[in-house]
Amino acid sequence: AVEYETIRVEQRGRVGWITLDRPEALNALNTRSMTEVVAAATAFDDAPDVGAIVVTGSEKAFAAGADIKEMEGKSGLEMSLSDHFGAWGRFAAVRTPVIAAVSGYALGGGCELALMCDIILASDRAKFGQPEIQLGVIPGMGGTQRLVRALGYYKAAELVLTGRMIDAGEAERVGLVSRVVPAADLLNEADAVARTIAEKPLPALYAAKAALDVALESTLAEGLRFERQAFFALFDTADQKEGMAAFREKRPPNFTNR
Ligand code: CAA
């Protein structure tokens, strides 16, 4: 079994939970925590009995960024040769739907980790921002690209160029979060959303997430072709036959994730 130092990992029913747990650094993401989050997420992705993953932090901090103290002394060459942040690509490539349950600070790499998830639930105490400019750098875990796609150019540019922090209400208005809930309800809501997803048929969940991802990185024509092929392919799954038979027979479906 893997020994995690910076996260807590638990499977509850069909939902995999990853809780960032470096309270002394407000869950700042160092190489160790990146390796652990990626290992836990890919292990859940490989588990046939996991249909949704939740990533969360504490009430005070989802994650206050990449670990500044770890990066401070490095040269550009060292950062490049070690492909610093490179492993996050494997987190973003997880096929299983991932829900970020965010309370407190989601700054820099913390905000970018949330942006790699499919659904962002925020507590009313969440604060988002990309403060890297104030450190003499820029977002390095996808912020400039995913914020522009999620919020549009002008809102993204304002956040990245000023480093200004926004609260949960503003984050919801600009489309950075899926939904805001009271802080006390955050984990229950995340669990409810994750369970709702996790009981859906896995082949369709994978196809839906893959098609949504293609929308962010292709032309409309390419995306439509991908969607149609994925839609056709699902007609070879047992769960499509079951889902449609259950509808016709007016009964709940009994999916087998095949
Ligand atoms: N890296 C390393 N350590 C961090 C950290 C980070 N990103 N954020 C917080 N910490 C540490 C602090 O150094 C402090 O440790 P010590 O007690 O040893 O001094 C501890 O966590 C608690 O933090 P504060 O005392 O600062 O707590 P606060 O409540 O006064 O302030 C805060 C909270 C406003 C979030 C402040 O901690 C802060 O500004 N943090 C840095 C935010 C930031 O700039 N993030 C971007 C990082 S760069 C990046 O993420 C690059 C990328 O694109 C991937």
Side-chain angles (χ1 to χ4, degrees):
V2 195
E3 284 293 327
Y4 294 115
E5 277 173 16
T6 65
I7 60 174
R8 285 178 281 125
V9 173
E10 192 193 344
Q11 185 177 337
R12 285 186 227 153
R14 295 182 54 78
V15 180
W17 282 78
I18 300 173
T19 304
L20 303 170
D21 191 20
R22 266 190 94 204
E24 70 283 3
L26 298 181
N27 293 333
L29 302 164
N30 59 15
T31 300
R32 175 96 201 186
S33 45
M34 172 178 70
T35 304
E36 293 187 355
V37 170
V38 170
T42 52
F44 282 141
D45 198 31
D46 290 342
D49 60 342
V50 170
I53 298 169
V54 179
V55 179
T56 192
S58 67
E59 188 160 314
K60 172 136 200 237
F62 178 70
D67 192 314
I68 298 168
K69 294 162 188 165
E70 183 187 56
M71 294 185 290
E72 182 182 357
K74 300 208 174 178
S75 70
L77 185 62
E78 282 175 273
M79 294 290 277
S80 160
L81 288 178
S82 66
D83 191 20
H84 203 84
F85 301 149
W88 288 118
R90 283 188 275 137
F91 179 86
V94 160
R95 299 161 303 161
T96 310
V98 184
I99 296 151
V102 177
S103 189
Y105 297 111
L107 301 177
C111 184
E112 293 166 287
L113 174 58
L115 286 163
M116 284 181 237
C117 300
D118 304 296
I119 292 177
I120 305 179
L121 284 186
S123 94
D124 52 12
R125 301 209 190 130
K127 285 182 189 309
F128 296 85
Q130 296 290 161
E132 288 90 344
I133 198 83
Q134 181 62 25
L135 299 166
V137 292
I138 65 172
M141 280 169 53
T144 60
Q145 305 305 299
R146 292 198 175 93
L147 280 173
V148 169
R149 282 166 170 77
L151 316 184
Y153 181 83
Y154 295 102
K155 200 71 208 181
E158 192 220 344
L159 293 181
V160 170
L161 297 176
T162 67
R164 183 170 76 84
M165 245 190 258
I166 61 175
D167 64 17
E170 185 171 357
E172 185 176 37
R173 282 196 299 283
V174 301
L176 175 48
V177 306
S178 314
R179 195 147 54 84
V180 179
V181 300
D185 299 341
L186 179 68
L187 297 184
N188 281 337
E189 280 296 326
D191 191 52
V193 174
R195 280 167 188 271
T196 300
I197 292 171
E199 70 188 19
K200 306 289 186 258
L202 215 46
L205 286 176
Y206 288 167
K209 175 164 175 169
L212 289 163
D213 279 348
V214 170
L216 291 176
E217 55 192 38
S218 71
T219 62
L220 178 61
E222 279 177 279
L224 290 172
R225 267 195 300 276
F226 182 94
E227 182 196 74
R228 191 61 51 81
Q229 291 306 318
F231 175 75
F232 290 157
L234 289 168
F235 284 77
D236 290 331
T237 66
D239 286 338
Q240 174 268 326
K241 297 290 174 273
E242 169 61 11
M244 293 191 180
F247 173 80
R248 177 171 39 74
E249 293 162 11
K250 302 188 191 296
R251 60 170 175 86
N254 179 20
F255 293 124
T256 52
N257 299 311
R258 300 178 61 96

